[in-house]
């Protein structure tokens, strides 16, 4: 069998690989169709102030509605990135998240006075798009939204990969009032000096640390260290993936300002998110 010949060889006749290539092509074709047909939805996950338990905002998370099943972005975002379909998909996300926020701001004027924000995720590819900033500016303008209500999440590895362009882009976004958060913090390799120099609003502690912090002393120490770092640099901090009250209590004792996770709510359909809004803001 091809696999036993040498572990570094890529043999195109390997049936497993061939199947993977077929699956991948199939996914690409289906993804293209889904974009044409608009088979996507945004789900909204609450971000909560851990001290007061009040609602600070939503993170918009993309879902592919393929018939009766919801497909996770972890499955299709990589394919969308490789094929360039991510640009169209991201434009759709930005537009829809802004449209939804505008609707909710109109329906519930209190959202503006409490500074309720909408967070969206940016993909690495978008940082090489010269029109990124103007697209965001136009979309905000189109929906009559002030920049301060939009938060952009970029992963630590994206930031480090595109440091040159990122500096400029982040500065331009900051000038529009848009907030910038580093996503999945702790999983990449940030140079601490960039944390200090970039116009960042906050960091999101990766779920992998939060999920183990109630069992692993090391992870608890990492979370503690990130929180001290954030405080010293005057950065906001959001703990991702809080699932139980032990984690919540630990985070509160470490004075972590905000969190998100199944303990509060999973990503919600627009309708359920609106009900959550009514119950927690009004
Ligand atoms: P992320 O931005 O780090 O989003 C957090 C992920 O953790 C979400 O997965 C969310 O559903 C999940 N999560 C939240 N709380 C909990 C919890 O308590 N326990 C567990 N086990 N999971 C929790 P999701 O929605 O599957 O998204 C996965 C990733 O896909 C996101 O990670 C983000 O990097 C990417 N993504 C999602 N939407 C978009 C988008 O519109 N554009 C781009 N470029 N990427 C997106
Ligand atoms: Mg995110
Ligand atoms: Mg994350
Ligand atoms: Mg992630």
């Amino acid at each position: 069998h091809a696999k036993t010949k040498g572990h570094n060889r890529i043999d195109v006749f390997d049936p497993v690989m061939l199947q993977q290539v077929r699956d991948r092509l199939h996914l690409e074709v289906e993804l293209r169709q889904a974009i044409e047909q608009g088979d996507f939805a945004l789900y909204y996950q609450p971000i909560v102030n851990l001290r007061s338990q009040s609602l600070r905002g939503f993170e918009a998370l993309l879902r592919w509605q393929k018939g009766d099943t919801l497909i996770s972005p972890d499955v299709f975002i990589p394919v969308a990135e490789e094929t360039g379909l991510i640009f169209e998909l991201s434009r759709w996300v930005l537009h829809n998240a802004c449209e939804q926020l505008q609707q909710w701001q109109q329906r519930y004027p209190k959202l503006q006075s409490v500074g309720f924000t909408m967070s969206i995720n940016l993909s690495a590819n978008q940082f090489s798009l010269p029109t990124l900033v103007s697209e965001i500016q136009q979309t905000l303008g189109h929906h009559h939204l002030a920049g301060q209500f939009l938060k952009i999440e970029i992963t630590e590895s994206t930031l480090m990969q595109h440091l040159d362009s990122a500096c400029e882009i982040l500065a331009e976004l900051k000038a529009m009032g848009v907030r910038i958060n580093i996503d999945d913090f702790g999983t990449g390799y940030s140079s601490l000096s960039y944390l200090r120099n970039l116009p960042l609003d906050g960091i999101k502690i990766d779920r992998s640390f939060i999920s183990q912090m109630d069992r692993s002393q090391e992870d608890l120490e990492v979370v503690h260290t990130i929180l001290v770092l954030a405080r010293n640099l005057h950065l906001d901090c959001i703990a991702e993936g809080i699932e139980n009250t032990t984690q919540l209590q630990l985070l509160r004792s470490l004075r972590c300002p905000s969190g998100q996770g199944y303990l509060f709510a999973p990503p919600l359909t627009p309708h359920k998110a609106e009900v959550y809004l009514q119950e927690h803001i009004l």
Side-chain angles (χ1 to χ4, degrees):
H1 190 268
K3 265 187 177 166
T4 56
K5 282 188 211 155
H7 35 262
N8 286 327
R9 264 191 58 197
I10 295 173
D11 192 328
V12 290
F13 297 108
D14 182 323
V16 175
M17 275 211 42
L18 194 58
Q19 192 54 47
Q20 282 172 355
V21 171
R22 281 207 189 102
D23 290 349
R24 167 74 178 61
L25 279 175
H26 190 55
L27 195 60
E28 181 179 338
V29 170
E30 286 187 316
L31 194 55
R32 253 177 232 287
Q33 268 173 7
I35 290 177
E36 274 164 32
Q37 296 166 6
D39 293 340
F40 291 91
L42 284 182
Y43 276 48
Y44 300 94
Q45 189 176 32
I47 297 173
V48 175
N49 177 322
L50 295 187
R51 198 160 43 84
S52 65
Q53 304 262 37
S54 65
L55 181 60
R56 296 190 59 193
F58 284 143
E59 176 178 3
L61 293 158
L62 187 59
R63 298 288 180 267
W64 175 4
Q65 285 180 310
K66 194 163 173 286
D68 290 336
T69 47
L70 278 186
I71 302 187
S72 153
D74 284 331
V75 175
F76 65 83
I77 293 276
V79 180
E81 285 177 337
E82 282 167 42
T83 53
L85 291 169
I86 189 71
F87 298 111
E88 209 172 323
L89 214 46
S90 300
R91 220 166 275 139
W92 185 88
V93 169
L94 175 67
H95 179 84
N96 272 267
C98 286
E99 188 169 74
Q100 183 62 84
L101 181 61
Q102 178 201 28
Q103 245 182 50
W104 283 335
Q105 281 190 350
Q106 278 173 353
R107 238 170 260 169
Y108 313 107
K110 200 179 165 192
L111 291 185
Q112 287 186 62
S113 53
V114 300
F116 180 90
T117 57
M118 180 69 84
S119 301
I120 61 167
N121 293 281
L122 278 202
S123 139
N125 306 38
Q126 293 177 269
F127 272 81
S128 44
L129 200 66
T131 52
L132 174 67
V133 173
S134 63
E135 259 178 44
I136 292 176
Q137 189 158 33
Q138 277 170 23
T139 309
L140 286 170
H142 180 81
H143 294 99
H144 311 289
L145 285 171
Q148 69 189 80
F149 299 115
L150 183 67
K151 278 191 186 175
I152 299 289
E153 295 190 1
I154 43 169
T155 63
E156 197 182 3
S157 44
T158 297
L159 191 64
M160 292 302 123
Q161 222 177 297
H162 293 83
L163 260 183
D164 289 343
S165 53
C167 275
E168 209 174 309
I169 291 172
L170 297 189
E172 284 171 356
L173 290 175
K174 181 87 180 175
M176 290 158 48
V178 173
R179 323 263 180 95
I180 298 123
N181 276 347
I182 302 190
D183 209 342
D184 303 349
F185 188 82
T187 57
Y189 300 91
S190 292
S191 157
L192 297 183
S193 65
Y194 290 113
L195 271 190
R196 181 162 54 83
N197 294 329
L198 288 169
L200 300 169
D201 182 66
I203 55 187
K204 298 185 76 172
I205 308 175
D206 192 68
R207 190 175 78 220
S208 57
F209 302 111
I210 307 301
S211 68
Q212 302 290 325
M213 71 182 293
D214 49 345
R215 276 166 287 164
S216 145
Q217 186 62 31
E218 284 82 8
D219 285 315
L220 183 62
E221 285 301 333
V222 171
V223 172
H224 182 126
T225 304
I226 294 175
L227 281 162
V228 171
L229 176 73
R231 246 191 320 270
N232 288 341
L233 295 174
H234 308 290
L235 292 171
D236 185 23
C237 204
I238 301 173
E240 296 188 309
I242 305 174
E243 293 185 352
N244 62 52
T245 48
T246 314
Q247 292 160 353
L248 174 63
Q249 291 318 321
L250 284 169
L251 286 162
R252 292 182 73 165
S253 70
L254 295 173
R255 291 190 291 141
C256 178
S258 305
Q260 154 182 25
Y262 296 166
L263 179 64
F264 305 108
L268 304 166
T269 62
H271 174 71
K272 284 189 178 161
E274 186 164 344
V275 172
Y276 191 96
L277 251 188
Q278 292 169 343
E279 287 169 354
H280 290 83
I281 286 266
L282 313 161

